[in-house]
């Protein structure tokens, strides 16, 4: 008789672990963006606040996509513990610099997962990852475009207000 555990899941333990690690990264990103949303709201930057609230929702969706995939394949998705979410941020520009860094980190992580899938010949998970890899192109693009607003407009005088106004167009042009 076949090993029952092997029949229960077709996910390799190594793949399950790396996907659960990504669940945690996405949950952390969601909480971080929610903190940024609150900080921007406090600064009177309403559009940026809405932008980050939406980003927080999207990251939770990413987390759930991974979470459900692990369970659907017979693995065990782990609800992650999230700690060390900041309350304060140094500057308006700083939150977008941190956003770009965060997204570049996530892209690197998905590349690593894809690499592992190829090495372990898990083409099913490799195929599942394609959506995330494409999504990262958009996420990085938006963060870079918004940072350009800081270079072009500058934060002096009414600059912050102008940047907050224009970032709506940039954020939704990529959708
Ligand atoms: Fe889910 Fe923004 O990466």
């Amino acid at each position: 008789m076949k090993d029952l555990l092997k029949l229960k899941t077709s996910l390799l333990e190594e793949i399950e672990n790396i996907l659960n690690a990504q669940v945690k990264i996405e949950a952390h990103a969601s909480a971080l963006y929610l903190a940024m949303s609150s900080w921007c709201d406090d600064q009177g930057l309403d559009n940026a606040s809405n932008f980050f609230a939406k980003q927080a929702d999207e990251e939770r969706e990413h987390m759930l996509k991974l979470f459900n995939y692990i369970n659907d394949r017979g693995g065990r998705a782990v609800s992650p513990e999230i700690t060390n979410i900041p309350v304060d941020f140094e500057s308006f520009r700083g939150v977008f610099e941190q956003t770009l860094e965060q997204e570049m980190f996530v892209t690197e992580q998905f590349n690593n997962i894809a690499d592992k899938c190829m090495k372990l010949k898990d083409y099913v998970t490799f195929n599942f990852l394609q959506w995330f890899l494409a999504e990262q192109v958009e996420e990085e693009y938006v963060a870079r475009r918004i940072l350009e607003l800081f270079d072009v407009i500058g934060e002096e005088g009414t600059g912050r207000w102008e940047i907050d106004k224009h970032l709506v167009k940039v954020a939704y042009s990529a959708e």
Side-chain angles (χ1 to χ4, degrees), residues 10-79:
S10 43
L11 269 186
L12 293 168
E13 193 180 348
E14 215 175 322
I15 298 290
E16 183 177 330
N17 290 343
I18 201 171
L19 289 177
N20 265 320
Q22 192 61 30
V23 164
K24 190 177 170 88
I25 289 169
E26 300 291 337
H28 186 272
S30 179
L32 176 66
Y33 289 151
L34 199 60
M36 288 174 171
S37 172
S38 182
W39 183 85
C40 288
D41 183 90
D42 190 54
Q43 300 280 315
L45 303 161
D46 289 349
N47 292 322
S49 176
N50 291 339
F51 169 77
F52 282 117
K54 191 166 166 286
Q55 287 301 111
D57 284 346
E58 279 188 17
E59 299 302 348
R60 182 173 160 77
E61 279 170 28
H62 298 172
M63 180 199 76
L64 289 174
K65 224 181 231 289
L66 290 156
F67 193 92
N68 292 333
Y69 176 79
I70 296 166
N71 283 340
D72 288 350
R73 303 285 320 278
R76 173 78 65 91
V78 179
S79 181

